[in-house]
C-alpha cells in the first residue's frame, strides 16, 4: 500500500472520532473570536498556519545540518530553541483550522498533531540534554524529532493537497464555470436583503451562484463557500465588523459584499466574485480570468 493509501485508510476510521470529538469541542471552547479568526488568517485573507510552520520546520532542518559540523553546534542549539518557541503559535493556528474541518481531515489532523507533539517533546528533551553538556544524547533526540516532524509534514501535505484542507473550495468551483457572460435574468427578479440562487451553466459543470441585490447594485458570488463549500445562496446578509456581508449558513463565515474578503472566520480565503454588468435591465455575470 502506498503512503497516501495508508493515510486515506486512517482518514476513514470513524472510531477515532470518539477521542477526536471531545478534543475538538475543547479547542472550540478555548479558541474564541477574535483570537480564533486571528489564528485562521481571516484578517490576512489567507490561512496563516502554512506560513507559521515555516519557522519551526526551517529552524529544525537547519539545526540538523549545523549539528553535523562540530563547531556549529551552538548555533544548532539556538535554532532548536527558536523552533520550539515558534512551534507554539504554529500549533495554535493548526488547532483552530482543524476544529472547523470535516471528519476525514480531523482524523488525519489528529495524527498530525500527535506526531508534532512527540517531535516537540524530543526537541525540548534535546535542549535539556544539551544544557547538561550531554550533546550526544541531545543530537540523538533532535534527529529523532526531525524524522518525526518530517513524517508529520507529509501528513499535513496530504491534508492540504489530497483533502483540500485550507484550499479555497470557491476557486475550485469557479473553474467549472464558462468563460462567457452568463445571463442571470432581469434585475427586477432579484429580491432585496437576501441572496438568490442562479446557476452558472455552459461550463464544465453547472455551478450554483449566490446573487445579492442592493438597489441597482448586484454582487454575484460563486455559491460554494470558500471554507468547505457551504451553500451561500442559502445564507443571510448581515453587517459584520462594519461591512455588509454574505454569511455562510454552515459555519458562519462572513464575506464582504463589495470585495469578497472574509470578515469573520473560519474562512481565511476570500469568496470568489464574478464580474457583473447590466444589459437592457438584465444581470450579466462572468467569471474573472484568474479562475478560468
Ligand atoms: S462552509 Fe464553513 S463557513 Fe461556509
Amino acid at each position: 500500500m502506498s503512503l497516501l493509501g495508508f493515510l486515506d485508510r486512517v482518514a476513514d476510521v470513524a472510531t477515532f472520532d470518539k477521542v477526536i470529538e471531545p478534543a475538538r469541542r475543547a479547542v472550540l471552547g478555548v479558541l474564541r473570536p477574535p483570537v480564533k479568526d486571528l489564528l485562521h488568517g481571516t484578517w490576512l485573507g489567507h490561512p496563516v498556519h502554512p506560513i507559521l510552520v515555516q519557522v519551526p520546520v526551517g529552524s529544525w532542518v537547519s539545526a540538523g545540518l549545523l549539528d553535523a559540523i562540530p563547531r556549529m553546534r551552538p548555533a544548532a542549539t539556538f535554532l532548536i530553541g527558536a523552533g520550539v518557541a515558534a512551534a507554539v503559535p504554529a500549533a495554535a493556528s493548526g488547532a483552530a483550522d482543524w476544529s472547523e474541518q470535516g471528519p476525514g481531515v480531523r482524523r488525519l489532523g489528529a495524527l498530525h498533531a500527535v506526531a508534532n507533539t512527540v517531535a516537540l517533546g524530543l526537541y525540548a528533551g534535546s535542549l535539556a540534554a544539551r544544557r547538561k553538556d550531554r550533546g550526544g544524547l541531545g543530537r540523538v533526540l533532535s534527529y529523532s524529532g526531525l524524522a518525526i516532524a518530517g513524517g508529520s509534514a507529509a501528513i499535513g501535505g496530504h491534508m492540504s493537497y489530497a483533502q483540500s484542507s485550507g484550499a479555497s473550495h470557491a476557486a475550485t468551483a469557479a473553474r467549472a464555470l464558462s468563460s462567457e457572460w452568463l445571463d442571470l435574468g432581469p434585475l427586477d427578479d432579484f429580491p432585496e436583503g437576501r441572496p438568490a440562487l442562479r446557476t452558472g451553466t455552459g461550463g464544465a459543470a453547472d455551478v450554483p451562484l449566490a446573487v445579492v441585490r442592493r438597489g441597482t447594485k448586484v454582487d454575484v458570488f460563486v455559491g460554494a463557500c470558500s471554507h468547505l463549500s457551504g451553500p451561500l445562496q442559502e445564507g443571510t446578509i448581515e453587517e459584520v465588523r462594519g461591512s455588509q456581508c454574505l454569511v455562510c449558513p454552515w459555519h458562519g463565515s462572513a464575506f464582504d459584499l463589495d470585495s469578497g474578503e472574509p470578515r469573520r472566520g473560519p474562512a481565511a480565503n476570500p469568496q470568489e466574485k464574478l464580474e457583473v454588468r447590466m444589459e437592457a435591465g438584465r444581470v450579466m455575470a462572468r467569471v474573472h480570468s484568474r479562475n478560468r
Side-chain angles (χ1 to χ4, degrees), residues 225 227-230 232 248 250-253 255 266-267:
C225 175
H227 177 230
L228 285 181
S229 299
L232 288 181
C248 179
W250 280 9
H251 309 105
S253 290
F255 302 97

Side-chain angles (χ1 to χ4, degrees), residues 95-188:
D97 290 348
W98 170 83
S99 69
E100 300 279 9
Q101 290 294 322
V105 175
R106 290 204 296 267
R107 289 167 199 149
L108 271 191
L111 185 62
H112 180 58
V114 167
N116 283 341
T117 303
V118 171
L120 187 59
L122 288 167
Y123 274 114
S126 173
L127 283 178
R130 288 164 196 252
R131 209 169 292 135
K132 291 178 182 167
D133 284 333
R134 299 183 67 190
L137 175 62
R139 287 189 292 283
V140 168
L141 291 173
S142 57
Y143 280 124
S144 302
L146 185 59
I148 292 174
S152 182
I155 298 171
H158 189 75
M159 292 164 64
S160 296
Y161 294 116
Q163 296 183 300
S164 299
S165 166
S168 169
H169 294 255
T172 303
R175 282 191 200 98
L177 280 164
S178 161
S179 59
E180 304 298 319
W181 283 98
L182 303 168
D183 183 349
L184 302 184
L187 174 67
D188 290 343

Side-chain angles (χ1 to χ4, degrees), residues 13-273:
V13 181
T15 46
F16 290 166
D17 297 350
K18 288 180 190 149
V19 180
I20 290 171
E21 196 48 36
R24 175 173 171 261
R25 280 199 297 273
V27 169
L28 287 171
V30 171
L31 298 180
R32 315 289 301 178
V35 173
K36 186 159 167 286
D37 284 357
L38 194 72
L39 294 170
H40 285 308
T42 306
W43 56 279
L44 185 62
H46 190 286
V48 294
H49 183 63
I51 300 170
L52 293 178
V53 298
Q54 302 302 316
V55 186
V57 170
S59 298
W60 290 341
V61 169
S62 302
L65 294 172
L66 294 180
D67 256 341
I69 307 167
R71 66 187 169 82
M72 301 301 282
R73 284 173 184 160
T77 301
F78 172 79
L79 284 175
I80 288 170
V84 168
V88 176
S93 66
D97 290 348
W98 170 83
S99 69
E100 300 279 9
Q101 290 294 322
V105 175
R106 290 204 296 267
R107 289 167 199 149
L108 271 191
L111 185 62
H112 180 58
V114 167
N116 283 341
T117 303
V118 171
L120 187 59
L122 288 167
Y123 274 114
S126 173
L127 283 178
R130 288 164 196 252
R131 209 169 292 135
K132 291 178 182 167
D133 284 333
R134 299 183 67 190
L137 175 62
R139 287 189 292 283
V140 168
L141 291 173
S142 57
Y143 280 124
S144 302
L146 185 59
I148 292 174
S152 182
I155 298 171
H158 189 75
M159 292 164 64
S160 296
Y161 294 116
Q163 296 183 300
S164 299
S165 166
S168 169
H169 294 255
T172 303
R175 282 191 200 98
L177 280 164
S178 161
S179 59
E180 304 298 319
W181 283 98
L182 303 168
D183 183 349
L184 302 184
L187 174 67
D188 290 343
D189 284 1
F190 291 95
E192 292 264 3
R194 62 182 169 85
L197 169 66
R198 291 293 184 273
T199 303
T201 56
D206 289 354
V207 176
L209 302 172
V211 183
V212 179
R213 176 185 174 190
R214 291 177 285 171
T216 56
K217 183 170 173 19
V218 176
D219 297 292
V220 181
F221 294 85
V222 169
C225 175
S226 71
H227 177 230
L228 285 181
S229 299
L232 288 181
Q233 64 277 4
E234 296 172 17
T236 52
I237 309 300
E238 297 175 26
E239 184 168 321
V240 177
R241 294 181 183 148
S243 301
Q244 281 292 303
C245 290
L246 176 56
V247 176
C248 179
W250 280 9
H251 309 105
S253 290
F255 302 97
D256 191 306
L257 287 180
D258 291 322
S259 65
E261 293 289 333
R263 298 288 174 239
R264 182 175 67 206
N269 293 300
Q271 186 60 28
E272 297 298 330
K273 290 187 70 176

